[in-house]
Amino acid sequence: MASFVIEGGHRLSGEIHPQGAKNEVLQIICATLLTAEEVTVNNMPDILDVNNLIQLMREMGVTVAKEGVDTYSFKAENVDLAYLESDEFLKKCSSLRGSVMLIGPMVARFGKALISKPGGDKIGRRRLDTHFVGIQNLGADFRYDELRGIYEITADRLQGSYMLLDEASVTGTANILMAAVLAKGTTTIYNAACEPYLQQLCRMLNRMGAKISGIASNLLTIEGVEELHGTQHTVLPDMIEVGSFIGMAAMTKSEITIKNVSYENLGIIPESFRRLGIKLEQRGDDIYVPAQETYEIESFIDGSIMTIADAPWPGLTPDLLSVMLVVATQAKGSVLIHQKMFESRLFFVDKLIDMGAQIILCDPHRAVVIGHNHGFKLRGARLTSPDIRAGIALLIAAMSAEGTSTISNIEQIDRGYQNIEGRLNAIGARITRI
């Protein structure tokens, strides 16, 4: 197991480029199964979750070629359907959260899919009801094999249907969407997720010959087609990484420029950091964060304590709340962080409290942070990364802390952040991988 050793207290300076969006690329890779023709994907991040899914695709019989530093081509012409029923395939699916999005494309194109319960972050219950009920609405039959612990999904030909999702699940919407593009007739998905990742998937599928309307809204209409063809696609910059770098600059009192962020796709993220008192400027498609000795949390108009909560897009993504919580520990003022989606994601605050942060964990979903106003620094500590987003939040805390910190279980960070220590060391951080 690898660890990071971080020498805290160093300011950053310079430019940093965000990687391709992890949450988008996992959907895009699965969507390449919908055609026998070649699909080329640019700006793919070199991270554990993506690399594991690419390897899984190879083992499924998909021809995968690395065309450039961050460009891959996929050709799902000869998929090994027998391998898809093997214990080896199912075991690999169980360790990779993104594998759940193989269901829609496989049922749509091959009429059958087997999947084990997918893994991923330990951040509380992440139910699959939205995926399953949606694909059932298209006419698929689900059966759970208790002995093997797998779901078997079959369908002769999917049939378009109207559905109102019980939650605006991003991966659930993606899965249903990928199944619906090859279904017979028209599918209407209401309360669909409409994150930029979903918009990107819709546009790619339309370039492949799908007929999807309502893109960027929560009401998608899909007219089924007989087949899809190949295309080229470029992945957006990762908005979570952009937000992480904004928070990192504030915590370390650093002046940095985040390059090519696709500002129009960041939604409420820049404004949410401004509510914590952080200055940032849009310069073309870059974000400039000036060095700040202090930053003050805003209050609501009536003077009540600021609350920052996650919500479906265009609300604030839950993936940034861990970062915002850490950033608030050095702000002037107090804030309530309300993590609505996952009941275990705030449990990493005990590690921040050990570092000297003033945080009251109210319940599994809410924490009140009383900022230090940089009055005293966090202390270096021995830490463990419980999930991807808490991992980067702890790394930010350690970079701002006094003394040396060690973060173990950094495989969790590697799942979502490409060569993070190399890129941060290039602008002044002191992080060693051991």
Side-chain angles (χ1 to χ4, degrees):
M1 298 276 277
S3 301
F4 280 148
V5 176
I6 304 103
E7 189 180 300
H10 295 282
R11 296 197 184 203
L12 312 177
S13 178
E15 298 180 349
I16 192 161
H17 293 257
Q19 66 189 29
K22 165 187 175 282
N23 289 345
E24 177 187 337
V25 80
L26 295 176
Q27 299 173 17
I28 297 300
I29 292 172
C30 293
T32 65
L33 285 170
L34 287 165
T35 178
E37 295 183 21
E38 187 173 271
V39 177
T40 303
V41 186
N42 305 304
N43 197 31
M44 288 186 50
D46 181 11
I47 56 177
L48 210 54
D49 272 11
V50 171
N51 294 339
N52 284 343
L53 185 55
I54 290 171
Q55 185 56 34
L56 185 63
M57 296 288 278
R58 284 193 176 108
E59 289 164 7
M60 290 166 64
V62 178
T63 302
V64 183
K66 188 169 184 178
E67 308 286 353
V69 175
D70 59 6
T71 300
Y72 283 80
S73 65
F74 299 84
K75 193 170 185 182
E77 188 176 20
N78 299 303
V79 176
D80 183 354
L81 298 179
Y83 177 71
L84 303 184
E85 299 191 27
S86 69
D87 288 337
E88 183 187 346
F89 169 74
L90 295 164
K91 185 179 178 184
K92 289 186 175 177
C93 288
S94 69
S95 63
L96 181 61
R97 180 74 194 173
S99 66
V100 71
M101 287 181 289
L102 295 170
I103 295 174
M106 289 197 299
V107 174
R109 186 163 161 222
F110 306 116
K112 186 174 184 179
L114 272 78
I115 202 90
S116 52
K117 234 177 175 179
D121 290 325
K122 306 304 179 192
I123 54 177
R125 290 169 293 175
R126 303 176 77 179
R127 60 193 184 86
L128 299 175
D129 302 50
T130 306
H131 300 249
F132 290 177
V133 171
I135 295 173
Q136 276 180 318
N137 283 338
L138 296 173
D141 181 49
F142 272 72
R143 190 173 65 84
Y144 182 63
D145 185 336
E146 284 190 40
L147 195 63
R148 296 179 74 190
I150 62 169
Y151 298 95
E152 184 177 351
I153 309 100
T154 54
D156 292 332
R157 175 77 195 267
L158 297 174
Q159 180 72 43
S161 170
Y162 170 85
M163 61 189 83
L164 173 59
L165 304 188
D166 66 333
E167 63 170 348
S169 163
V170 177
T171 53
T173 302
N175 228 342
I176 298 163
L177 183 69
M178 289 188 281
V181 291
L182 293 180
K184 187 178 180 183
T186 301
T187 299
T188 304
I189 309 173
Y190 199 15
N191 195 29
C194 54
E195 271 78 353
Y197 311 134
L198 252 302
Q199 298 172 36
Q200 285 280 95
L201 175 64
C202 289
R203 293 186 183 109
M204 183 183 104
L205 291 171
N206 279 351
R207 289 196 303 275
M208 294 169 72
K211 295 180 180 178
I212 305 166
S213 58
I215 298 171
S217 79
N218 69 347
L219 181 62
L220 294 175
T221 303
I222 306 104
E223 292 177 44
V225 297
E226 288 296 323
E227 62 179 8
L228 299 180
H229 52 74
T231 191
Q232 283 221 9
H233 180 78
T234 300
V235 176
L236 286 175
D238 196 313
M239 67 171 79
I240 314 305
E241 213 180 51
V242 172
S244 300
F245 294 149
I246 293 170
M248 203 173 280
M251 280 288 279
T252 58
K253 304 181 184 179
S254 301
E255 176 187 2
I256 67 169
T257 299
I258 310 164
K259 301 292 289 181
N260 304 322
V261 299
S262 188
Y263 198 94
E264 64 184 25
N265 286 301
L266 293 179
I268 204 171
I269 290 171
E271 187 56 36
S272 297
F273 279 101
R274 289 190 183 103
R275 290 167 80 183
L276 292 178
I278 297 167
K279 296 188 179 89
L280 53 96
E281 299 171 24
Q282 180 185 0
R283 294 184 174 180
D285 203 30
D286 303 341
I287 289 178
Y288 169 72
V289 187
Q292 292 173 251
E293 292 302 314
T294 184
Y295 47 95
E296 184 172 357
I297 298 168
E298 294 179 2
S299 297
F300 286 119
I301 291 170
D302 64 359
S304 58
I305 185 172
M306 175 60 64
T307 299
I308 292 181
D310 56 340
W313 189 268
L316 181 64
T317 170
D319 284 349
L320 271 177
L321 281 190
S322 299
V323 170
M324 300 192 84
L325 187 149
V326 164
V327 172
T329 65
Q330 290 297 340
K332 181 181 180 182
S334 300
V335 63
L336 172 66
I337 302 290
H338 191 172
Q339 164 62 266
K340 296 176 182 176
M341 264 182 221
F342 305 112
E343 70 263 31
S344 302
R345 211 170 212 172
L346 294 182
F347 288 164
F348 81 104
V349 302
D350 62 338
K351 300 171 177 64
L352 297 175
I353 292 167
D354 289 344
M355 296 176 79
Q358 292 188 304
I359 303 170
I360 303 164
L361 187 60
C362 308
D363 56 44
H365 292 276
R366 296 176 302 159
V368 175
V369 185
I370 299 102
H372 290 161
N373 192 23
H374 286 296
F376 63 90
K377 290 187 174 184
L378 299 177
R379 300 182 295 270
R382 296 192 69 85
L383 308 163
T384 301
S385 171
D387 64 77
I388 299 175
R389 308 310 175 187
I392 201 70
L394 292 173
L395 181 61
I396 293 170
M399 288 169 65
S400 74
E402 203 163 48
T404 300
S405 299
T406 302
I407 303 177
S408 57
N409 195 30
I410 60 168
E411 287 78 9
Q412 287 286 1
I413 300 174
D414 289 338
R415 286 180 48 219
Y417 293 86
Q418 173 179 316
N419 183 27
I420 191 66
E421 76 275 22
R423 290 189 291 151
L424 293 178
N425 286 343
I427 58 171
R430 300 278 179 87
I431 305 167
T432 305
R433 180 183 292 260
I434 56 171

